Amino acid sequence: AMAGDGGAYRLCCSLLGHQQDVRGLARSLFPGGGFVSVSRDRTARLWAPDGLNRGFTEMHCMRGHSNFVSCVCIIPPSDLYPRGLIATGGNDHNICIFTVDHTAPLYVLKGHKNAVCSLSSGKFGTLLSGSWDTTAKVWLNDRCMMTLQGHAGAIWAVKILPEQGLMLTGSADKNIKLWKAGRCERTFTGHEDCVRGLAILSETEFLSCANDASVRRWKLSGECLHMYYGHTSYIYSIAVFPHCKGKFIFHFVTTGEDRSLRIWSQGECAQTIRLPAQSIWCCCVLDNSDIVVGASDGIIRVFTKSLERAASAEEIQAFENELSQASIDPKTGDLGDINVDDLPGKEHLKDPGTRDGQTRLIKDNGKVEAYQWSISEGRWIKIGDVVGSSGATQQTSGKVLFEGKEYDYVFTIDVNESGPSYKLPYNISDDPWLTAYNFLQKNDLNPMFLDQVAKFIIDNTKGQTLSNISAQFSDPFTGAGRYVPGSSSQSNTVPTADPFTGAGRYVPGSASNVVAPVGGLDPYTGTGAYQSAEAENIYFPKKDAVTFDQANPTQILGKLKEFNVSATNEQKLTEDDLIILEELMSATCNMSAETPTAQQIQTLWKAVNWPEDIVFPALDILRLSVRHPTVNENFCGEKAHVQFIHLLLKFLNPEGKQANQLLALRALCNCFVSEAGQKLLMEQRDKILTQAIEMKSGNNKNVHIALATLMLNYAVCLHKVNNIEGKAQCLSVINTVLEVVKDLEAVFRLLVALGTLVSGDTNAVELAKSLGVDSQIKQYASVPEPAKVKECCRFVLHLL
């Protein structure tokens, strides 16, 4: 052991300042050796080590939340903020960002629909937040970049992993999810109750703690390596010692609802420290290995192994006296089942304990007292009197869980004798009338009961309320609203054939169109000669949509007629119909003076609704026609767009025919030529990208090229409107698709899309870095042929 290392942890100091429960702690970078605490009293406080009396001094009290503050994390230093920033999350749904030297927030992040209860920071200024609205959000500076959706309950714990683009979330739905570049890669199941805390052990392992009183150690690959038991109730927080993350030794600390802080070494609980408060909400480990804990009594306590930093004998005695006077409610189960009659007297304390933290109950003059064995001191320390029942309906700490969220009270309401009873969750900060109204709405109960229910709440909370409640109220039951991205309106002319699109031969009955490059000196074709090493970037940002224009109308119509024979009677096209479709092809392929007619468009709609095995020639006509402004407006405009998108997405089914997948993707790409199509595809971006990404799993290179082109066209639109959440979504999809695509033309288009998304946008550059895009594309910087792949790749890497 180090010099002055006393082997066991003992009290270093108790810090008073917060008026209510301390809910979150984080060690600070500035001042070094200090930490930040946050509390239900709506404040955050910065504490600096005090050289004189081994304690800490409160440097600042930061205010910015209109409700409880429940979590805190430190954002590492950047060029702009060399001393880092402090982020706090609150029950007012907001995240406040503070500098180290100001008591008012630098800015506030709004976006969550319910309490923010967990924060974690990553490289390049990224911040991950978890909320009771069941989502986690990724922020960069002052903007929300992406929303992680998939949990069925509140997200109580979040962590950004050391490897770029990887994130963990733990939820009231008992699951932990691993996210890569914004998509759920894996779900870890095993905990039997709400997951409350996460801690990173190494690049491949992490720990979790939960309301099931267990700690689990996991591999990122999915397996649970170990389970640790010791706590007798909910475990609220877990922290790893900073200097020993590694394969062989790991020490960690946990705190929970059983009034204890536990120190674990090599998987064993090495020491248990009881505190004179019921809920030990949070802990953090300082650089010198001292442990800071925050509890429901509003006091912060620091424990140390160092004999130099230990509190004086008087202070330790005062702490033990306070502990011995605590009253323990047997109903919490902290001490197991208690039968008062069977308990021994005080003489039982003459026998030493067998392990640290062991508890023993004795009866002294009819009173039941609880003692705990301390190995380091070789004696029994009194940890409280066991009382019958506290008589209080509920601890003041708001620990009643309902649907995975915390409330001050959860009442059971019987509306009539025979019917079911209903649960009504309530926080002191809520409006009783609004709560009663929402409760009646949610359970379809008669609004007549409003006065009665509100009066019930007021009577049973003895009128406790908090002053200056913010007017903004959110129903605790509603889940997250869906973010609808702003639509982009931009003018665009119908482009002529771009050298991007290879010339394709229509091969009836097969989807493997042979794509040959168009000749000429356009850089996209790879035939231009670039000698200079400092080639000019002619690849991005791309300004116009890339379309699929190659067609052989005679072959397409021939195939359509051949399939028409096998169509059922109600689906068969008449001779007139076939002539009409031929006219439509001529009007849209030659861009002749004739405008496609309503009748032609109606006939096309009939044909594209053919059965899956014969529909592809009709889809091909759709793919070509939708480039015409009239057809584009018809299908993508307000009237018909719902059925149109529904039809195309139906074909983006991994089990479906490849020819249909290919032509549906190409039709979506071609929609981007007109304003109506761009507007529709931007509005339906979530739906379309969720379906389209499924197309990555096939191994057809033409499908991959079409998918890459779709992403490129989205990038072109997003470059114009600069919608960062949209860019984040596209970066995430591109990153995911790059993992599987082999075809270099598809890779090239994805690289151009990347370049277009991040050009001229520092936020997008930072986001791409934090998602690990650069490591994903490095391999293409050395591809010998075609030259355009490596050149474009180098330009993108240069931006990152």
Side-chain angles (χ1 to χ4, degrees):
M2 305 174 311
D5 176 348
Y9 276 90
R10 51 176 64 77
L11 185 69
C12 158
C13 59
S14 300
L15 305 172
L16 305 173
H18 284 295
Q19 259 80 69
Q20 290 188 53
D21 305 46
V22 177
R23 290 300 303 254
L25 289 163
R27 62 193 171 107
S28 64
L29 297 168
F30 296 94
F35 59 90
V36 186
S37 59
V38 297
S39 160
R40 283 171 67 115
D41 67 11
R42 308 182 182 196
T43 68
R45 293 168 198 247
L46 180 59
W47 304 83
D50 175 346
L52 301 171
N53 59 6
R54 311 170 186 184
F56 290 82
T57 310
E58 183 184 311
M59 287 180 66
H60 289 310
C61 178
M62 296 168 271
R63 297 173 193 274
H65 289 280
S66 58
N67 204 328
F68 308 154
V69 193
S70 27
C71 54
V72 57
C73 86
I74 303 296
I75 298 173
S78 62
D79 295 345
L80 199 53
Y81 301 105
R83 299 168 73 181
L85 295 167
I86 297 165
T88 59
N91 284 32
D92 56 4
H93 314 179
N94 293 342
I95 299 164
C96 290
I97 308 291
F98 297 89
T99 58
V100 193
D101 4 272
H102 284 93
T103 56
L106 181 65
Y107 50 86
V108 177
L109 305 177
K110 293 177 184 286
H112 278 298
K113 307 266 191 311
N114 210 322
V116 177
C117 51
S118 182
L119 291 167
S120 174
S121 61
K123 294 180 186 162
F124 313 110
T126 45
L127 181 68
L128 176 62
S129 60
S131 163
W132 290 1
D133 66 13
T134 75
T135 72
K137 288 182 184 286
V138 183
W139 309 80
L140 184 65
N141 305 326
D142 56 349
R143 308 286 287 280
C144 176
M145 295 297 169
M146 50 176 72
T147 299
L148 310 182
Q149 288 176 320
H151 280 294
I155 295 180
W156 278 105
V158 297
K159 273 284 181 275
I160 296 184
L161 284 147
E163 191 189 322
Q164 287 170 14
L166 292 182
M167 297 172 180
L168 286 168
T169 53
S171 162
D173 64 11
K174 308 177 191 174
N175 294 333
I176 299 164
K177 287 182 184 288
L178 173 69
W179 307 79
K180 180 164 187 189
R183 304 193 157 267
C184 180
E185 286 268 302
R186 180 168 294 113
T187 300
F188 302 81
T189 54
H191 276 299
E192 288 159 30
D193 204 339
C194 296
V195 178
R196 296 299 288 259
L198 292 166
I200 307 301
L201 275 179
S202 68
E203 300 218 337
T204 55
E205 291 184 15
F206 67 93
L207 297 168
S208 61
C209 65
N211 281 1
D212 61 12
S214 78
V215 172
R216 284 171 181 254
R217 180 172 163 210
W218 307 85
K219 274 187 102 60
L220 278 188
S221 55
E223 63 194 288
C224 178
L225 296 173
H226 207 91
M227 293 189 284
Y228 308 100
Y229 294 101
H231 281 277
T232 55
S233 185
Y234 300 167
I235 306 178
Y236 292 133
S237 77
I238 183 164
V240 177
F241 284 89
H243 49 266
C244 64
K245 294 181 185 178
K247 276 268 184 294
F248 307 110
I249 36 172
F250 61 95
H251 307 296
F252 59 94
V253 291
T254 50
T255 65
E257 180 62 13
D258 57 8
R259 308 161 34 117
S260 76
L261 150 72
R262 291 174 195 249
I263 295 133
W264 304 75
S265 177
Q266 306 304 345
E268 296 293 318
C269 179
Q271 192 182 354
T272 302
I273 297 175
R274 301 269 169 182
L275 285 95
Q278 183 65 52
S279 312
I280 319 303
W281 289 118
C282 51
C283 61
C284 74
V285 183
L286 301 179
D287 288 326
N288 60 10
S289 291
D290 285 2
I291 300 166
V292 187
V293 295
S296 50
D297 59 3
I299 297 175
I300 296 166
R301 294 178 179 85
V302 185
F303 293 89
T304 184
K305 269 187 165 181
S306 148
L307 299 174
E308 285 87 55
R309 290 194 297 276
S312 67
E314 297 83 52
E315 286 170 283
I316 289 182
Q317 192 55 55
F319 172 67
E320 284 186 15
N321 292 346
E322 192 186 355
L323 189 58
S324 71
Q325 285 154 19
S327 50
I328 302 172
D329 181 348
K331 290 214 295 286
T332 59
D334 295 356
L335 304 167
D337 292 330
I338 300 168
N339 184 347
V340 179
D341 301 335
D342 301 347
L343 292 176
K346 211 155 191 161
E347 68 285 352
H348 189 44
L349 298 177
K350 293 202 177 79
D351 306 331
T354 50
R355 59 182 171 80
D356 193 82
Q358 178 185 0
T359 51
R360 201 165 266 185
L361 300 177
I362 59 135
K363 202 161 50 172
D364 189 28
N365 296 331
K367 259 188 8 209
V368 178
E369 298 179 345
Y371 285 80
Q372 172 180 307
W373 180 252
S374 162
I375 275 197
S376 59
E377 306 194 20
R379 65 187 177 101
W380 290 98
I381 297 174
K382 184 178 174 197
I383 58 170
D385 295 310
V386 180
V387 295
S389 160
S390 59
T393 38
Q394 219 269 294
Q395 296 274 340
T396 52
S397 306
K399 287 178 300 287
V400 187
L401 281 177
F402 177 67
E403 292 181 351
K405 300 176 192 148
E406 277 184 337
Y407 295 92
D408 291 322
Y409 298 90
V410 175
F411 298 113
T412 303
I413 297 208
D414 297 301
V415 180
N416 55 32
E417 299 303 306
S418 56
S421 59
Y422 299 92
K423 295 283 187 215
L424 185 157
Y426 178 74
N427 281 317
I428 292 170
S429 57
D430 296 346
D431 174 327
W433 299 90
L434 192 50
T435 305
Y437 173 77
N438 286 330
F439 166 77
L440 295 171
Q441 289 280 93
K442 178 186 193 231
N443 296 299
D444 269 344
L445 299 172
N446 191 326
M448 266 177 29
F449 291 121
L450 183 65
D451 284 3
Q452 229 175 313
V453 175
K455 188 170 178 326
F456 173 88
I457 294 173
I458 293 164
D459 291 348
N460 281 282
T461 53
K462 306 184 191 59
Q464 280 185 295
T465 51
L466 289 170
S467 52
N468 79 35
I469 297 154
S470 72
Q472 173 204 13
F473 180 84
S474 121
D475 180 330
F477 299 103
T478 54
R482 207 173 63 73
Y483 165 80
V484 181
S487 62
S488 70
S489 57
Q490 52 208 53
S491 62
N492 204 336
T493 51
V494 176
T496 53
D498 180 292
F500 249 109
T501 54
R505 195 165 58 77
Y506 190 81
V507 184
S510 112
S512 57
N513 296 7
V514 182
V515 178
V518 179
L521 280 177
D522 184 292
Y524 281 97
T525 61
T527 52
Y530 317 109
Q531 261 68 46
S532 92
E534 290 302 309
E536 166 199 5
N537 180 1
I538 39 188
Y539 302 109
F540 58 80
K542 189 104 181 71
K543 295 289 197 288
D544 298 308
V546 174
T547 50
F548 290 91
D549 304 319
Q550 291 301 321
N552 183 330
T554 326
Q555 281 184 340
I556 296 174
L557 287 162
K559 201 70 194 169
L560 189 75
K561 288 172 183 165
E562 180 192 321
F563 283 168
N564 194 39
V565 178
S566 60
T568 59
N569 285 339
E570 65 268 24
Q571 287 176 320
K572 241 190 200 38
L573 300 172
T574 62
E575 282 304 311
D576 286 353
D577 288 342
L578 290 166
I579 292 165
I580 288 168
L581 288 176
E582 198 164 346
E583 287 165 354
L584 176 64
M585 287 275 276
S586 136
T588 57
C589 283
N590 311 330
M591 291 296 176
S592 61
E594 299 161 43
T595 299
T597 65
Q599 185 191 25
Q600 289 169 357
I601 293 171
Q602 241 167 333
T603 309
L604 174 58
W605 185 248
K606 180 178 171 184
V608 293
N609 280 287
W610 269 5
E612 280 199 27
D613 47 342
I614 59 170
V615 73
F616 80 83
L619 278 180
D620 220 357
I621 300 175
L622 175 68
R623 176 227 4 150
L624 292 162
S625 312
V626 80
R627 298 169 307 158
H628 194 288
T630 309
V631 182
N632 196 299
E633 177 56 48
N634 188 288
F635 284 131
C636 301
E638 292 301 314
K639 288 198 262 317
H641 70 260
V642 180
Q643 302 96 301
F644 176 66
I645 288 292
H646 181 74
L647 173 93
L648 289 180
L649 294 186
K650 181 181 78 183
F651 295 120
L652 298 187
N653 166 10
E655 309 303 310
K657 284 177 75 78
Q658 275 191 339
N660 297 343
Q661 295 170 355
L662 176 71
L663 294 167
L665 283 170
R666 288 182 170 182
L668 285 167
C669 293
N670 287 358
C671 286
F672 278 97
V673 298
S674 282
E675 202 171 315
Q678 288 170 24
K679 184 169 184 291
L680 173 63
L681 267 67
M682 287 295 275
E683 278 169 6
Q684 300 288 322
R685 191 184 71 232
D686 271 359
K687 259 194 199 146
I688 293 169
L689 291 181
T690 306
Q691 279 293 125
I693 197 166
E694 296 297 322
M695 298 297 98
K696 76 181 184 356
S697 52
N699 50 8
N700 182 300
K701 69 172 196 168
N702 291 303
V703 171
H704 284 171
I705 290 170
L707 176 58
T709 310
L710 179 66
M711 297 320 300
L712 174 53
N713 287 352
Y714 266 116
V716 169
C717 271
L718 287 161
H719 180 68
K720 292 175 188 165
V721 296
N722 195 15
N723 160 344
I724 194 73
E725 191 143 352
K727 287 186 176 183
Q729 191 180 19
C730 286
L731 283 170
S732 163
V733 172
I734 291 169
N735 216 23
T736 311
V737 175
L738 275 167
E739 287 177 10
V740 290
V741 169
K742 301 278 180 287
D743 181 81
L744 289 174
E745 181 58 37
V747 168
F748 171 64
R749 295 184 185 201
L750 290 167
L751 289 170
V752 176
L754 278 176
T756 303
L757 283 169
V758 301
S759 283
D761 182 348
T762 50
N763 272 338
V765 169
E766 296 295 301
L767 181 68
K769 283 197 226 171
S770 69
L771 292 176
V773 169
D774 42 355
S775 55
Q776 187 75 278
I777 63 173
K778 273 201 209 76
Q779 52 176 313
Y780 299 113
S782 50
V783 169
E785 285 294 319
K788 63 181 184 181
V789 173
K790 73 171 175 223
E791 291 192 353
C792 184
C793 178
R794 286 171 188 174
F795 282 121
V796 178
L797 286 171
H798 180 67
L799 275 184
L800 298 180

